[in-house]
Amino acid sequence: MSNIAILGITGHVGSRVADELLRRGHTVTGIARSTARAAARPGLTLHEADATRAEAIVPLLRGHDAVVSATRFVGGIDAPTLLAAARAAGVPRVLVVGGAGSLEVAPGRALIDTPEFPDAYKPEAGAGRAFLQALRQEKNLDWTFLSPAAEFAPGERTGVFRIGGDQLLTGADGRSRISTEDYAIALADEIERPQHARRRFSVAYCIGVV
């Protein structure tokens, strides 16, 4: 079993990733500005720290096999700070909870660049795309960026989904969906059985999965 640190443990995604990793017997260190919403349980250690400050999280990351960044891109940790903190702490793997906005809907055209993409989501999606671009410049540290489907919210844990690459995955109905619970399964699978070193991959449901 591995020791995994999660930045943003109290968020919708970070909390579900923690649930999945603990379910599998891993040891988890949860880090957030406030951990009041995180329930204490066996295998979970909680620390309060500002993840945007490398010096605040480096001591908390030491001794871990991987760090998962589940913070928002706007106002959360940026790629240079995350990578620098991981290197300083000696953490060999970085996994990032990504967004769907940078996924391609056509060759060379991202979802964020389509007329239908909501203006309210553009700052976060744009920051996520910049984060991914910065990761792609990293040639030494082992990083992975997992993009969810366009519709991404709490739901069922089904364990039935598709894995893709840089393209937006949709079903025959044209919808692109994944629950945070099933997203957490895909991320935990990647931690246990790495398949996407220094790459972005994506996850979404097939048609017919609720």
Side-chain angles (χ1 to χ4, degrees):
M1 295 297 102
S2 299
N3 296 320
I4 312 298
I6 301 176
L7 306 177
I9 184 71
T10 58
H12 286 308
V13 186
S15 61
R16 269 108 177 145
V17 172
D19 290 343
E20 186 63 32
L21 291 172
L22 291 168
R23 178 197 295 265
R24 300 182 186 207
H26 297 286
T27 300
V28 174
T29 297
I31 302 169
R33 288 188 176 95
S34 172
T35 58
R37 289 185 293 161
R41 54 198 137 151
L44 175 64
T45 301
L46 297 171
H47 294 285
E48 293 189 347
D50 182 355
T52 65
R53 297 173 54 242
E55 66 273 18
I57 61 173
V58 166
L60 305 179
L61 296 182
R62 290 194 179 106
H64 290 83
D65 301 300
V67 55
V68 175
S69 177
T71 71
R72 292 178 61 85
F73 294 115
V74 175
I77 192 169
D78 58 25
T81 301
L82 176 62
L83 294 170
R87 281 192 291 266
V91 179
R93 295 185 66 197
V94 170
L95 298 102
V96 178
V97 174
S102 59
L103 290 169
E104 290 186 344
V105 295
R109 190 184 194 196
L111 180 63
I112 188 177
D113 298 323
T114 61
E116 300 81 15
F117 195 84
D119 288 340
Y121 297 154
K122 285 185 177 179
E124 181 71 10
R129 176 161 60 181
F131 198 112
L132 176 58
Q133 291 169 342
L135 287 179
R136 284 174 167 161
Q137 302 305 308
E138 173 61 36
K139 303 304 181 185
N140 299 309
L141 199 65
D142 185 354
W143 61 268
T144 300
F145 187 101
L146 176 53
S147 285
E151 296 178 41
F152 186 36
E156 291 186 55
R157 181 184 184 275
T158 70
V160 181
F161 47 77
R162 287 183 295 163
I163 296 297
D166 289 319
Q167 291 72 42
L168 182 73
L169 294 174
T170 60
D173 60 355
R175 293 180 65 184
S176 175
R177 298 174 291 151
I178 193 71
S179 71
T180 48
E181 288 78 3
D182 280 335
Y183 177 98
I185 293 177
L187 191 62
D189 287 347
E190 180 66 23
I191 290 172
E192 294 180 342
R193 298 179 297 279
Q195 301 291 320
H196 302 89
R198 299 189 186 93
R199 291 168 56 196
R200 184 254 292 277
F201 73 110
S202 55
V203 58
Y205 288 134
C206 302
I207 183 66
V209 177
V210 177

